[in-house]
Amino acid sequence: MAVEVKELLEAGVHFGHLTRKWDPNMAPYVYMERNGIHIINLYKTAVKIEEASEALSKIANSGRKILFVATKKQAKDIVSEKAGAINMPYITERWPGGMLTNFVTIRKAVKKMASIDRMKKDGTFQTLSKKERLQVDRLRAKLEKNLGSIADMTRLPGALFVVDIKREHIAIKEAQKLNIPIFAMVDTNSDPRQVDYVIPANDDASKSIDKVLSYVTTAISNGLADRKAEKDGFEDSEDAEEIVTKTKSKATSIKVAADEEE
């Protein structure tokens, strides 16, 4: 999937932070300085988006989930929309501490949500007092807000995609501890050494975030489509084998019957 530098430019992906706020480790990705602001080299960004997209597509193709993390205002809606569209989990509210390192506890909270839903379906909820119902409803709403988007994530993700690694430093540390690959949009004020797949980009403007996420979610979607096609193809070949086997056994039984008649 070719990334158009012109599109990145139009989306303002090249605008970095003020030069005094920069992290020297981002030097390889800085093109120049203009009016006290660092300008990111978009040709390098394009190459990095392609590298990350290829790797993310493979992870999706393997059947593992990619967890998107972005709690800043400019990114929340974009991430929930784009990750949700490809059925990937995401965290856009506060990062729940131990989300990865204490995953068992997080799963318990998600199961609690499911058990409340069951109570509502089977009528148990109605047997509670008004006060208890109110408490359960509040708990359900809180769990939904914080964990609703990861309800289908039954095991640790195959990768993390982060917007603004400075803000999401706790998520980064947890992923590093568990050797989960980290993909991220990294601005000029951050240390790219913390990330496995760096996408040097403006992580403050919604247009820039939208553009980069469009590329990576399209790649993930392609990986999922390939997985489905492979699965369907495998099932078709199994069906074909079954037909051949049935035809052979039918032919054998006809031959046996003919021999017996003789």
Side-chain angles (χ1 to χ4, degrees):
M1 180 185 61
V3 176
E4 295 291 333
V5 170
K6 187 170 174 281
E7 283 185 18
L8 298 177
L9 187 70
E10 284 166 0
V13 177
H14 57 299
F15 291 119
H17 275 265
L18 292 167
T19 49
R20 59 186 167 82
K21 284 188 173 182
W22 88 311
D23 187 304
N25 292 300
M26 279 298 284
Y29 306 111
V30 172
Y31 174 62
M32 64 181 289
E33 177 247 320
R34 188 192 294 156
N35 301 330
I37 289 173
H38 275 128
I39 303 297
I40 295 163
N41 185 333
L42 290 182
Y43 287 97
K44 289 193 175 179
T45 302
V47 169
K48 290 294 183 183
I49 290 174
E50 285 173 10
E51 276 176 19
S53 295
E54 193 181 331
L56 286 165
S57 177
K58 281 178 184 165
I59 292 167
N61 187 265
S62 74
R64 284 170 298 162
K65 294 281 187 188
I66 293 140
L67 176 63
F68 285 78
V69 186
T71 59
K72 70 199 299 182
K73 199 166 119 240
Q74 308 93 301
K76 281 163 84 158
D77 291 346
I78 298 163
V79 166
S80 59
E81 180 203 325
K82 292 196 181 293
I86 54 169
N87 203 23
M88 286 295 165
Y90 56 89
I91 295 287
T92 52
E93 296 303 322
R94 188 182 61 83
W95 174 264
M99 164 80 212
L100 301 174
T101 50
N102 198 4
F103 189 64
V104 176
T105 306
I106 297 293
R107 279 304 302 162
K108 278 181 188 165
V110 171
K111 281 176 183 169
K112 178 80 182 163
M113 207 159 60
S115 72
I116 293 170
D117 292 343
R118 272 198 305 277
M119 278 169 62
K120 290 192 172 187
K121 271 185 184 170
D122 64 21
T124 318
F125 185 70
Q126 292 309 316
T127 64
L128 302 173
S129 69
K130 194 178 177 184
K131 189 183 177 184
E132 285 170 332
R133 285 205 303 266
L134 194 64
Q135 284 172 336
V136 169
D137 273 337
R138 278 189 188 142
L139 173 65
R140 176 70 179 78
K142 189 183 175 185
L143 289 168
E144 177 63 47
K145 188 182 180 188
N146 294 323
L147 305 171
S149 58
I150 61 151
D152 296 333
M153 199 172 80
T154 52
R155 58 178 177 150
L156 284 168
L160 227 66
F161 189 98
V162 181
V163 178
D164 194 339
I165 62 171
K166 267 200 145 173
R167 188 185 175 100
E168 314 301 346
H169 62 280
I170 301 169
I172 297 284
K173 281 205 167 61
E174 288 191 31
Q176 286 170 339
K177 214 175 261 185
L178 297 167
N179 291 321
I180 294 170
I182 303 162
F183 294 73
M185 286 178 70
V186 184
D187 213 326
T188 57
N189 66 333
S190 305
D191 183 356
R193 294 174 303 175
Q194 296 179 50
V195 176
D196 300 290
Y197 288 85
V198 178
I199 298 174
N202 174 358
D203 65 13
D204 290 308
S206 51
K207 255 188 169 180
S208 170
I209 296 163
D210 190 285
K211 179 52 67 184
V212 173
L213 278 170
S214 291
Y215 280 120
V216 298
T217 52
T218 299
I220 292 168
S221 181
N222 291 341
L224 292 169
D226 289 346
R227 178 176 168 80
K228 189 178 183 303
E230 283 162 18
K231 260 187 163 180
D232 292 347
F234 180 68
E235 281 166 14
D236 288 347
S237 67
E238 276 194 331
D239 290 345
E241 273 179 36
E242 205 178 311
I243 291 163
V244 169
T245 309
K246 277 182 181 173
T247 309
K248 276 182 180 174
S249 63
K250 200 174 179 185
T252 307
S253 57
I254 290 167
K255 189 177 183 298
V256 168
D259 288 346
E260 281 173 357
E261 276 178 24
E262 281 177 14

